[in-house]
């Protein structure tokens, strides 16, 4: 039986870092080395200011770092030393070439796999941790097999990650399930069991699911597509609510009480963001097209189309409410991250919204408790356009508090559901006092009690609710 003693993780990002830090925390008998090509990222992991903000992450890293958890740029040494290697590199949507805008860019997966094949001096279990199209493990296997010898053998597993940002440590410590796919061969099953043994250091055995390789790869794309589909479904209903006087919170609650539906992931919003949902659905769409299943591709594509519609619909509502023009008006945007409790801005709805406000020549003031100003400027700049950051700086002000952002504003827009924007945390009377009148407030996150804020004097619009909901 294979016993794992030494783990290497290639890729020290949002997944590799937290996942393997928790693994080290829960398995003091295993040495874990997380490697990355980015020197800056590794230096940050080795400092007191970790490169990622996640509640509980500091405690886990500071507890194990230097004992059985190491961060390094020496990729080759860590590969050589390891008996199990997680490949946790980025798999972004391709920007050019075949499948541009849809297919996953597998260049990083391939280069990490080639590196493993080139430098390994002993047998390894190679674990695909990144999210990849179904059957990617086959390509990895082909590369690894071509470099196998009678002494060096590679087994390949799929072990997709289901953590959500903002709750990564909680999710990793107490996962709903861990999924491990393997080729159903003698050696594949032995490798699968070795990884099951690692996880059962802390995850109850019944929550560790073993499947074949391809089911595991596809389940990851399927889970994200279904989660995003729920959000697009409730967002589609939010438009009906606004037009009819139904209240989207009430509809979600009533539907969610059906145990077959369940209550989670039914929060209407200004649109889902994050690095995964859109990318993984497009990946599934592309896969379906490649498999000559156009109806299946169209079905999943609609989830993304609905998300874009929701963002545009929100902007249209803001402009029409502000008397059909926001030129020179000050718009205060509360929140820039794609969800609360993270500093991550990838695919955040805020980016689309603010770019639209800038197009309309509004003055935009942004406050987010965790996102760095430089990140905001970068996200709002158009890639490849000279001096675009200077243009952005002219139109956008980055603020230190919600009060500063709202001072003199015509409208306040809640884009991220940070707790500090709740009406029992933020002094909305103070905000109102500092605003131009009429003072408009648009809640894209169903975060505030509209009635309470209307009493202060705000003109309030909430996604999925109209002002007369239930009364007329
Ligand atoms: N972010 C999430 O919440 C999340 C959750 C589940 C799954 N995933 C999936 O996990 C994968 C990683 O996502 P992420 O958010 O951690 O990405 P990330 O961009 O934060 O991190 C990836 C890291 O890999 C490094 N890297 C790339 N090629 C390398 C190589 N050849 N050698 C060494 N390092 C290399 C990069 O420098 C980068 O630091 C993706 O496939 C993603 O879809 C992400
Ligand atoms: O009811 C809801 C739930 C979420 N969202 C939005 O949806 C996006 C994604 O949220 P969430 O899924 O919580 O965060 P992610 O970190 O993107 O996690 C998703 O993507 C990861 C990467 O693949 C998976 O591992 C996780 O299981 C999956 O939840 C965010 O913009 C949320 O604000 C809503 O609008 N309404």
């Amino acid at each position: 039986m294979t016993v794992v003693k030494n783990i290497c993780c290639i890729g020290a990002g949002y997944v590799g870092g937290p996942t393997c830090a928790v693994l080290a925390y829960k398995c003091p008998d295993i040495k874990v080395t997380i490697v990355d090509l980015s020197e800056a990222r590794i230096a940050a992991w080795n400092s007191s200011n970790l490169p990622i903000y996640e509640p509980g992450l500091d405690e886990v890293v500071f507890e194990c770092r230097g004992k059985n958890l190491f961060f390094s740029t020496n990729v080759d040494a860590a590969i050589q030393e390891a008996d199990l290697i997680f490949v946790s590199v980025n798999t972004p949507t391709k920007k050019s070439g075949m499948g541009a805008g849809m297919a996953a860019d597998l260049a990083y997966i391939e280069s990490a796999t080639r590196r493993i094949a080139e430098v390994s001096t002993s047998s390894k279990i190679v674990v695909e941790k990144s999210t990849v199209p179904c059957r990617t493990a086959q390509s990895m296997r082909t590369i690894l097999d071509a470099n196998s010898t009678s002494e060096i053998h590679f087994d390949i597993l799929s072990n997709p990650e289901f953590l959500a940002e903002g709750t990564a440590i909680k999710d990793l410590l107490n996962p709903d399930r861990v999924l491990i796919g393997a080729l159903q061969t003698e050696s594949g099953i032995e490798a699968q069991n070795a990884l099951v043994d690692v996880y059962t250091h802390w995850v109850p055995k019944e929550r560790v699911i073993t499947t074949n390789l391809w089911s595991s790869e596809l389940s990851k794309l399927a889970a994200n597509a279904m989660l995003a589909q729920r959000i697009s479904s409730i967002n589609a209903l939010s438009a009906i609510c606004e037009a009819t006087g139904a209240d989207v919170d009430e509809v979600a609650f009533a539907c969610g009480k059906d145990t077959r539906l369940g209550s989670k992931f039914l929060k209407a919003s200004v649109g889902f963001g994050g690095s995964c949902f859109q990318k993984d659905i497009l990946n599934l769409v592309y896969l379906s097209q490649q498999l000559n299943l156009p109806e299946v591709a169209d079905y999943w594509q609609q989830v993304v189309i609905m998300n874009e519609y929701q963002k545009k619909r929100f902007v249209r509502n803001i402009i029409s409410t502000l008397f059909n023009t926001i030129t020179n008006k000050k718009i205060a945007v509360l929140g820039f991250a794609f969800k609360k409790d993270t500093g991550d801005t990838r695919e955040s709805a805020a980016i689309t919204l603010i770019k639209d406000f800038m197009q309309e020549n509004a003055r935009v003031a942004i406050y987010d408790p965790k996102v760095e100003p430089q990140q905001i400027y970068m996200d709002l700049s158009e890639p490849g356009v000279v001096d675009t950051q200077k243009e952005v700086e002219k139109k956008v002000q980055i603020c230190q508090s919600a009060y500063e952002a709202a001072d003199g504003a015509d409208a306040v827009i809640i884009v991220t559901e940070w707790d500090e924007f709740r009406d029992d945390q933020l002094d909305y009377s103070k905000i109102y006092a500092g605003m131009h009148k009429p003072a408009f407030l648009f809640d894209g996150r169903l975060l505030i009690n509209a009635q309470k804020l209307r009493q202060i004097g705000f003109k309030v619009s909430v996604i999925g609710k109209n002002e007369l909901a239930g009364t007329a």
Side-chain angles (χ1 to χ4, degrees):
M1 199 190 115
T2 314
V3 178
V4 175
K5 285 275 155 223
N6 203 314
I7 289 180
C8 160
C9 173
I10 305 181
Y14 285 89
V15 169
T19 306
C20 286
V22 165
L23 205 150
Y25 181 68
K26 286 292 181 181
C27 307
D29 53 325
I30 299 179
K31 180 181 173 190
V32 179
T33 308
I34 306 178
V35 293
D36 204 291
L37 297 174
S38 160
E39 288 187 6
R41 216 162 201 188
I42 291 298
W45 279 112
N46 280 321
S47 76
S48 55
N49 192 12
L50 301 184
I52 290 169
Y53 170 70
E54 268 302 331
L57 178 64
D58 286 12
E59 289 83 337
V60 169
V61 171
F62 298 153
E63 169 71 28
C64 316
R65 200 173 59 191
K67 290 183 193 154
N68 68 327
L69 175 64
F70 303 90
F71 295 92
S72 165
T73 49
N74 194 342
V75 178
D76 294 359
I79 291 174
Q80 281 163 354
E81 225 190 357
D83 28 49
L84 184 145
I85 302 168
F86 285 107
V87 178
S88 188
V89 299
N90 36 331
T91 51
T93 305
K94 272 185 87 173
K95 290 208 171 81
S96 60
M98 217 167 75
M102 293 204 119
D105 183 347
L106 297 176
Y108 304 99
I109 291 273
E110 182 172 334
S111 84
T113 310
R114 285 189 183 278
R115 202 73 213 147
I116 297 170
E118 276 163 34
V119 306
S120 290
T121 47
S122 60
S123 293
K124 316 278 174 206
I125 300 173
V126 178
V127 185
E128 184 188 69
K129 181 57 110 178
S130 302
T131 305
V132 288
C134 193
R135 290 200 79 86
T136 300
Q138 183 58 41
S139 319
M140 294 172 76
R141 212 173 131 222
T142 308
I143 294 171
L144 294 169
D145 279 354
N147 289 274
S148 296
T149 61
S150 51
E151 287 88 50
I152 306 178
H153 168 80
F154 297 100
D155 279 296
I156 184 138
L157 301 176
S158 156
N159 172 223
E161 185 48 61
F162 296 102
L163 68 80
E165 287 180 30
T167 53
I169 300 301
K170 209 170 114 245
D171 296 341
L172 289 164
L173 290 172
N174 188 22
D176 284 350
R177 77 320 206 170
V178 167
L179 177 57
I180 306 174
L183 281 184
Q184 298 303 293
T185 57
E186 199 182 318
S187 122
I189 291 171
E190 189 177 334
Q192 194 171 37
N193 287 337
L195 187 54
V196 170
D197 285 346
V198 171
Y199 278 108
T200 48
H201 276 69
W202 78 99
V203 181
K205 198 158 185 155
E206 62 279 9
R207 287 202 223 156
V208 182
I209 305 169
T210 53
T211 64
N212 79 37
L213 261 183
W214 326 122
S215 306
S216 172
E217 287 181 332
L218 184 58
S219 298
K220 172 65 198 179
L221 296 184
N224 272 358
M226 287 192 212
L227 287 168
Q229 180 198 41
R230 279 173 75 91
I231 303 170
S232 278
S233 298
I234 199 71
N235 282 344
L237 289 164
S238 76
I240 300 181
C241 289
E242 287 164 36
T244 56
D247 176 323
V248 78
D249 267 338
E250 294 182 351
V251 174
F253 183 76
C255 293
K257 276 290 174 193
D258 186 326
T259 51
R260 294 170 301 173
L261 288 171
S263 60
K264 293 181 182 166
F265 263 69
L266 286 179
K267 195 80 181 162
S269 66
V270 63
F272 60 74
S275 64
C276 295
F277 279 172
Q278 176 167 311
K279 159 176 92 67
D280 294 348
I281 295 171
L282 292 176
N283 203 325
L284 194 59
V285 170
Y286 187 70
L287 180 71
S288 310
Q289 286 171 349
Q290 294 300 298
L291 296 170
N292 200 17
L293 300 168
E295 290 82 359
V296 178
D298 290 352
Y299 174 77
W300 290 113
Q301 177 91 48
Q302 195 57 36
V303 174
V304 175
I305 293 174
M306 184 51 62
N307 199 47
E308 289 307 306
Y309 166 76
Q310 186 73 347
K311 289 185 261 184
K312 292 290 172 200
R313 200 169 74 77
F314 191 62
V315 170
R316 269 204 302 273
N317 179 36
I318 291 169
I319 295 173
S320 69
T321 308
L322 289 171
F323 317 112
N324 288 315
T325 175
I326 56 171
T327 300
N328 278 329
K329 289 182 181 162
K330 180 173 174 186
I331 310 286
V333 174
L334 302 190
F336 194 86
F338 80 96
K339 62 187 273 198
K340 74 169 180 177
D341 291 341
T342 177
D344 195 349
T345 62
R346 291 178 289 179
E347 303 297 334
S348 177
I351 300 172
T352 316
L353 264 44
I354 294 169
K355 282 186 172 174
D356 283 355
F357 298 152
M358 285 161 56
Q359 281 287 323
E360 298 285 337
N361 294 314
R363 294 176 291 127
V364 186
I366 304 167
Y367 167 67
D368 187 287
K370 281 286 173 227
V371 181
E372 298 293 334
Q374 195 48 39
Q375 184 65 47
I376 297 180
Y377 289 132
M378 224 163 71
D379 287 335
L380 295 176
S381 303
E382 295 303 333
V385 180
V386 187
D387 281 346
T388 164
Q389 178 160 330
K390 282 199 187 121
E391 288 306 308
V392 173
E393 282 173 21
K394 275 189 216 154
K395 290 184 175 174
V396 162
Q397 174 199 357
I398 296 173
C399 303
Q400 298 305 310
S401 71
Y403 301 110
E404 185 191 345
D407 189 36
D410 296 274
V412 167
I413 324 273
I414 299 175
V415 180
T416 313
E417 74 283 23
W418 286 102
D419 288 337
E420 67 174 78
F421 302 153
R422 292 187 169 284
D423 53 40
D424 52 359
Q425 312 251 332
L426 202 59
D427 183 347
Y428 277 94
S429 300
K430 182 171 160 188
I431 296 234
Y432 180 76
M435 287 176 67
H436 267 166
K437 309 294 179 314
F440 293 95
L441 191 144
F442 297 86
D443 180 2
R445 290 293 190 165
L446 295 159
L447 197 68
I448 47 102
N449 177 339
Q451 218 38 47
K452 190 169 147 190
L453 298 201
R454 284 191 187 111
Q455 276 161 14
I456 294 174
F458 283 102
K459 304 268 179 222
V460 184
S461 292
V462 180
I463 207 118
K465 304 186 184 215
N466 78 26
E467 201 168 340
L468 302 171
T471 60

